[in-house]
Amino acid sequence: MRALGEQDVRGSFINCSKGEAKRLAVPRDLDERPWDDLDFLGWRDPGAPDRSYLVADLDGRLTGVALRFQPARSGYFQRSMCALCLTTHPRGGVSLMTARKAGAAGREGNSVGLYMCTDLACSLYLRGRKVSQSGARFEESLTLEEQVARALGNLSAFVAKVTG
């Protein structure tokens, strides 16, 4: 992914108003992110424990999505799998991220959801730059490029539901 600036990030959101995009917490370390290892930019809002954001370059266009999720409760033995990168995590490592739909449907309260890594570090898990608390990913016969393409395809399908 190419490096993004704060204005790029704020101008990319499709499911919130310009005012909301102007007020959301953009990471302060954008210039320090490992851009070559990222397929999309994802982060949690440090001031709101139930909010996350992601920005991806889909079909040559920056697309940002504001997400909400329910923080994990107790239960140490449950494991879940991210629908984007297929990394398994113990309880709390995967959350149902919901996004208000864009446009009139979103204003009416409609939303869509997808189970994703709670920290939105899917790109780093795929590349082995970050390891889940479970310690490993399933071994796949797909190449890294094929895994990345699958993850971006899954993300693109989710974003299409947000816009559709």
Side-chain angles (χ1 to χ4, degrees):
M1 180 168 197
R2 68 177 174 90
L4 302 177
E6 182 176 344
Q7 290 307 101
D8 295 326
V9 171
R10 290 190 188 283
S12 70
F13 284 89
I14 61 170
N15 68 334
C16 61
S17 69
K18 288 183 181 181
E20 289 170 322
K22 186 177 180 180
R23 292 186 301 273
L24 64 84
V26 174
R28 296 175 188 225
D29 64 345
L30 288 175
D31 55 337
E32 299 167 17
R33 295 284 171 136
W35 294 105
D36 291 338
D37 292 329
L38 297 180
D39 304 305
F40 64 89
L41 172 66
W43 73 98
R44 291 180 64 177
D45 188 331
D50 65 338
R51 292 187 184 160
S52 291
Y53 308 96
L54 66 84
V55 177
D57 188 347
L58 300 173
D59 299 323
R61 182 174 159 229
L62 279 181
T63 305
V65 178
L67 304 161
R68 288 187 176 248
F69 67 98
Q70 184 69 30
R73 295 186 181 89
S74 63
Y76 297 104
F77 300 110
Q78 183 178 359
R79 301 176 80 65
S80 299
M81 181 182 286
C82 173
L84 294 180
C85 66
L86 304 186
T87 300
T88 60
H89 294 274
R91 180 74 175 174
V94 171
S95 297
L96 176 62
M97 301 283 187
T98 57
R100 184 175 63 201
K101 291 189 86 167
R107 289 189 294 277
E108 292 173 7
N110 296 326
S111 62
V112 294
L114 188 68
Y115 285 95
M116 297 183 209
C117 294
T118 303
D119 61 4
L120 296 172
C122 299
S123 301
L124 301 179
Y125 291 120
L126 285 173
R127 289 166 175 79
R129 304 255 191 263
K130 190 168 185 178
V131 178
S132 79
Q133 288 181 351
S134 64
R137 293 186 69 237
F138 290 112
E139 191 169 327
E140 295 190 65
S141 59
L142 298 177
T143 66
L144 174 61
E145 291 77 22
E146 292 169 329
Q147 291 176 50
V148 167
R150 178 186 59 210
L152 287 175
N154 293 343
L155 178 59
S156 184
F158 174 69
V159 170
K161 291 178 184 176
V162 172
T163 59

